[in-house]
Amino acid sequence: MTQILKRILGHRSSVSAVGDPARSAAGFRLVRYFTVASLGAFLLVAGALLYFEGLEGEFFKKVQQAQSEFFRSVQDGFARRQDEAARRDLLQVNEAGNVNLTRFFANALWERDFAPFVTRAQQISIEHCRAAQGAPASSFDRKACFSDIGKGIMALPEFRALDAKVFAAMKGTTVFKIKVFDPRGITVYSSEHAQIGEDKSGNAGWQRAMAGTAASELTHRDKFSAFEGVVENRDLISSYLPLHAPGSEKTVGVFEVYSDVTPFLDQIKQTSAEIRKLAAENDARVAKAASEDRDKVDDNARLLLAVVFGLLALLWVVLFLIVRNGQRIIDRQERDRTHVHQRLAQSEKMAALGQMVAGVAHQLNTPLAFSRSNVSLVLEQIKAIDTPVRVASKVSEIAKRTQGGRVVLDLSRARAQLEAIQTRPEDIGAMQEMLNDVLQGLEQMSELVVHMRDFTRLDRANVADFDVNRGLRSVVYIAKSVIPNRIRVLEEYGDVPEVRCSPSQLNQVFLNLITNAAQAIEGDGTIAVRSRVAGDRVSVEIADSGPGIAPEVLPHIFDSYFTTKAAGEGTGLGLAIALDIVRGHGGDIEVATKIGAGSSFTVWLPLSQPLAKAA
């Protein structure tokens, strides 16, 4: 018995023996989690910084491009406006010159030469040509009609002299062609004779000039009939100018002048080209400066990123050192806590074993006491029987002798000794009954030792296939030694297959739950221990008829060091250790309670193998 108790006390209750032993030993790997989480976070930050730096560079590039496009458009607009302004100014200057030329004609040639000629030309009727405007082209050729009118005008006697004066006056000037229209819109004179007689009454320029407003436009002609002959690729300004009678605002005709502005326009184009070239050079300088600025910005961004990454790396190293030191502190505290936890658990187990040993000692004392008494009585009776046995032995010895006198004397003495013995036949039966009682006491002690051995499972491996019902019977047998006689224990065991586990640890769980149930019952009561199979799990239910668990206490019953017992009566680790053991086996503990009706603790354990195979 002493050896058994020593082995029980030396057996440590490690809750991590089944399941994952490294889980409780490893603890919370703070450094590992910090390293993974922080590196992940830093990589995200680095990626975000690189991404936004790329966005910033792209944005800066787009801004520069937009600025370059803006400057380019401004310069192009400036060059375009300058070109338009130069053309407009050229048009205005030439229009002013043509106005002056018209005044010259009006003052020098109109009264003496053109006025009489225009008057004579107006006498030529044009109504028949205009009256036939709506006729089909096949029945009437309007253009030929007005051409005939032109021939009639050129047939006038004043025409040749007038034409000679105009050519003489315009020779060597920039004026390429002159046309004169009468108030009807008929071309009465043109330096290009083929155009004499044309009807320009529908021309917008002629209409504006007749209304008293000059109208000019810039045109390009691939070929043009000028005073000097046919010219090619010339830029011309044509002006419709009103002719006023001297001293009057009345328009008496329209004067059309074609001036050559090709040299001036070439100069304008050259100036515009130079401006565009200068703008292109400015664009190139701006683009170069933008590229240099972008390179500087990129260099600054890379430097900033390098500084930020360096600071992040330094911060990570500092935090890593702090966390590693914290991990060491946590590990040391965990070791200290585990050590204290084990000592408290061992203390609680020793207290439970102390109660159990007291009960076992009580159970052993009873058979030992009456066995000692019976053995003493049997020894006394054996001493009494010893004398007749010796006498019988002497009689046998005397019978072998041959001397008669000596035989009679010895037989007389032996008879006297046999008559002195008071042993009766019923004394032999009593001695047999006492020896039977001794044997029963020895059997009780042997049964107790067997249950103790099954409870501790000292002759088995740490993890093995375990008969739950057999273990429950041993636990109940041991528990009855510490449970008051006023509490009945009901055992209801189902057909339960074996469970792979640590038997001694599960026995510790069952004993803890049964003793807790007994401690919860005040007065008479019952404890029911049941086992059954539910699906792929085994359930062991330990229900008591106690007062139940208060609602404010129920959430904390599995917390370490939580207890409702008086100071010094418990460590508050029993249920916490039981839950750790069961969860270490892949199971769980469920609690059902009702105030005034008792509580039920159900231990769920997974089967070693599927039920069909186990059966």
Side-chain angles (χ1 to χ4, degrees), residues 481-509:
S481 64
V482 295
I483 295 176
N485 294 330
R486 54 184 171 80
I487 299 176
R488 291 187 305 128
V489 179
L490 304 179
E491 299 179 66
E492 301 174 8
Y493 302 132
D495 187 9
V496 176
E498 292 183 342
V499 174
R500 188 159 187 81
C501 62
S502 173
S504 63
Q505 289 187 352
L506 286 187
N507 286 337
Q508 180 182 352
V509 172

Side-chain angles (χ1 to χ4, degrees), residues 62-344:
K62 290 181 179 179
V63 168
Q64 285 186 326
Q65 290 177 348
Q67 290 177 346
S68 298
E69 292 292 336
F70 173 74
F71 291 144
R72 188 179 299 109
S73 63
V74 168
Q75 290 177 340
D76 289 343
F78 174 75
R80 186 172 58 255
R81 286 194 296 272
Q82 189 275 338
D83 185 74
E84 292 173 354
R87 290 172 180 268
R88 185 173 61 252
D89 293 343
L90 179 63
L91 190 64
Q92 292 176 353
V93 168
N94 279 272
E95 184 178 287
N98 291 336
V99 170
N100 293 330
L101 180 61
T102 301
R103 289 173 181 172
F104 167 76
F105 267 84
N107 294 330
L109 299 176
W110 183 259
E111 285 296 328
R112 187 175 67 251
D113 299 310
F114 271 97
F117 177 74
V118 172
T119 301
R120 292 285 301 274
Q122 284 183 299
Q123 294 176 359
I124 300 174
S125 176
I126 62 171
E127 298 303 327
H128 63 285
C129 294
R130 288 183 174 176
Q133 287 183 1
S138 60
S139 62
F140 179 77
D141 191 348
R142 183 174 177 274
K143 184 176 181 179
C145 182
F146 281 104
S147 178
D148 292 339
I149 292 173
K151 293 177 182 179
I153 293 173
M154 287 187 292
L156 294 173
E158 300 92 342
F159 178 76
R160 290 186 180 277
L162 179 63
D163 186 50
K165 286 184 179 181
V166 172
F167 269 80
M170 297 295 106
K171 188 177 181 180
T173 66
T174 59
V175 177
F176 275 11
K177 184 164 63 173
I178 293 176
K179 296 171 71 175
V180 178
F181 306 96
D182 64 10
R184 299 175 300 176
I186 301 301
T187 306
V188 296
Y189 178 78
S190 174
S191 57
E192 186 178 350
H193 295 167
Q195 295 179 344
I196 296 175
E198 291 181 350
D199 184 9
K200 292 293 184 179
S201 60
N203 185 277
W206 179 84
Q207 292 174 355
R208 288 184 60 186
M210 283 299 298
T213 303
S216 301
E217 64 176 349
L218 178 64
T219 60
H220 179 80
R221 299 291 179 89
D222 295 331
K223 289 185 179 182
F224 190 76
S225 297
F227 289 108
E228 305 296 335
V230 178
V231 295
E232 296 180 350
N233 295 325
R234 308 303 291 181
D235 294 304
L236 304 173
I237 291 180
S238 62
S239 300
Y240 288 88
L241 306 167
L243 286 169
H244 301 288
S248 174
E249 293 296 328
K250 181 181 179 181
T251 302
V252 294
V254 174
F255 187 59
E256 183 181 8
V257 179
Y258 286 86
S259 301
D260 183 22
V261 293
T262 302
F264 302 103
L265 198 59
D266 289 343
Q267 186 64 34
I268 291 173
K269 291 179 180 178
Q270 183 179 358
T271 302
S272 297
E274 291 177 354
I275 292 175
R276 287 188 173 87
K277 181 180 178 181
L278 181 61
E281 292 176 354
N282 290 336
D283 286 341
R285 286 194 293 269
V286 170
K288 182 179 180 181
S291 178
E292 292 175 353
D293 292 341
R294 189 161 54 249
D295 292 340
K296 292 179 181 179
V297 170
D298 291 341
D299 292 339
N300 290 334
R302 284 191 288 269
L303 178 60
L304 177 61
L305 287 177
V307 172
V308 171
F309 289 157
L311 292 176
L312 287 176
L314 179 61
L315 175 61
W316 185 87
V317 170
V318 172
L319 291 177
F320 179 80
L321 294 176
I322 294 174
V323 169
R324 187 174 66 175
N325 186 54
Q327 178 70 66
R328 291 174 179 173
I329 295 174
I330 291 174
D331 291 342
R332 185 173 63 252
Q333 291 177 345
E334 177 65 18
R335 288 193 298 269
D336 295 342
R337 189 192 68 82
T338 302
H339 182 65
V340 173
H341 186 279
Q342 290 177 347
R343 286 194 300 174
L344 289 175

